[in-house]
Amino acid sequence: MMILRSAAPSPFGRKVRIGADVLGLAADVEFEPADVVDPNDSVRRQNPLGKIPVLLIEDGTAIYDSRVVLEYLDHRAGGGRILPRDWDARLAALRLQALCDGILDASILLIYEGRWRAADKHEPKWVAHQTDKVARGMAMLEAAPPALDATPDVGQITLACALGYLDFRFARRWRSEHPRLVAWLDRFAAQVPAFAATTVHA
Amino acid sequence: MMILRSAAPSPFGRKVRIGADVLGLAADVEFEPADVVDPNDSVRRQNPLGKIPVLLIEDGTAIYDSRVVLEYLDHRAGGGRILPRDWDARLAALRLQALCDGILDASILLIYEGRWRAADKHEPKWVAHQTDKVARGMAMLEAAPPALDATPDVGQITLACALGYLDFRFARRWRSEHPRLVAWLDRFAAQVPAFAATTVHA
């Protein structure tokens, strides 16, 4: 049995939970909540960065971050399923994952601005810098939404988690100006039951 | 000819420059500086996140982030060289890369605290949170420094770039308490000429 240290709202943890389910490994993964702010939580001994998700496998190895965990799970499931072996498909999946991880990183920095700092210490230029990253990334994706494979790849899984995070933390505001991505996410949700099963409501 | 959009002080750009050199591809990569703050720099059209490094390949595809670029270069060089094919070695390399990328991310957030915010708006709890990530990661690495392969893998390359970044931005202060990592970096620098060739002095 593997143990996934994560938290329900974590979009990076969600990538892993959806990936495990798509690969047929969900029953082998036990979810154990982690608190990344609590200094006594053992997650900081499992991953010195104190970040989630961390996957603990049977031999005691702690695997992180989400990209590495997804590659491990794909390997464990036989390989070439959510991380394509065909190079062109693999590069497209990796690049889409990097873009959507970057949208998530910028979005999380925006949330942290409110969580870690008093309102009078917010920095408008920083907020605009991060907001613009999200906006440019979303515009690029809306202009040419990616394919959605029968078995979604790591890039497609990450896009779904990024859109889900914007739903959760930013009041679904992205939807009005990104109708093609709304349609894409509807298809993803209809095809991948783990998406609805891991949705957290604000 | 490939074009690398980056900046000399970027530790993630340095990963790519060292990786290309180790793989014998340095002569195929032209360095073109990018300014991630200038809104008119074309890097934001090449990577909507506005982050470096970005590798532009001959067919016009823009590849990012540094992990994806390194996997691309390894593939282009025949595969299995800086990204091992053997699964255990590959997992160790990927995990070390994730740890060292995380040390870099936290270190860069510390630099950004000074660059983006007036001194009276710094947030000590945030600074401590990021500082502790770096400290725990460095302690784990000092306790058990990784191997150094004849052809360094992506994890080993990233560790060298992380230590080099701490030298550059944090006045080499890490050295006094991490003698085994100092020795490791000395060996890396002696073995990999691209390390010295990409060193930026404060």
Side-chain angles (χ1 to χ4, degrees), chain A residues 8-38:
Chain A
S10 166
F12 298 110
R14 192 180 192 183
K15 287 171 62 179
V16 172
R17 293 163 75 195
I18 292 174
D21 198 65
V22 163
L23 292 165
L25 294 172
D28 302 325
V29 180
E30 185 180 344
F31 185 85
E32 186 182 316
D35 181 339
V36 297
V37 176
D38 176 3

Side-chain angles (χ1 to χ4, degrees), chain A residues 124-163:
Chain A
K125 289 199 302 278
W126 174 256
V127 169
H129 189 63
Q130 302 303 330
T131 301
D132 289 351
K133 288 177 192 288
V134 176
R136 290 191 304 264
M138 290 289 287
M140 180 181 173
L141 289 161
E142 175 70 11
L148 175 55
D149 298 338
T151 298
D153 66 34
V154 294
Q156 295 157 7
I157 290 170
T158 307
L159 174 56
C161 293
L163 298 176

Side-chain angles (χ1 to χ4, degrees), chain B residues 4 6 8 10-27 29 31 53 66 69-70 73-74 77 81-82 104 148-165 184-185 188-189 191-200:
Chain B
L4 178 65
S6 190
S10 166
F12 298 110
R14 192 178 192 185
K15 287 172 63 178
V16 171
R17 293 163 74 196
I18 292 175
D21 198 64
V22 163
L23 291 164
L25 294 171
V29 179
F31 186 83
S66 68
V69 172
L70 286 176
L73 292 175
D74 185 70
R81 295 181 58 191
I82 60 172
L104 281 170
L148 176 56
D149 298 338
T151 299
D153 65 34
V154 294
Q156 294 157 8
I157 291 169
T158 307
L159 174 56
C161 293
L163 298 177
Y165 190 73
W184 187 93
L185 187 60
F188 187 95
Q191 180 182 316
V192 181
F195 186 77
T198 55
T199 296
V200 177

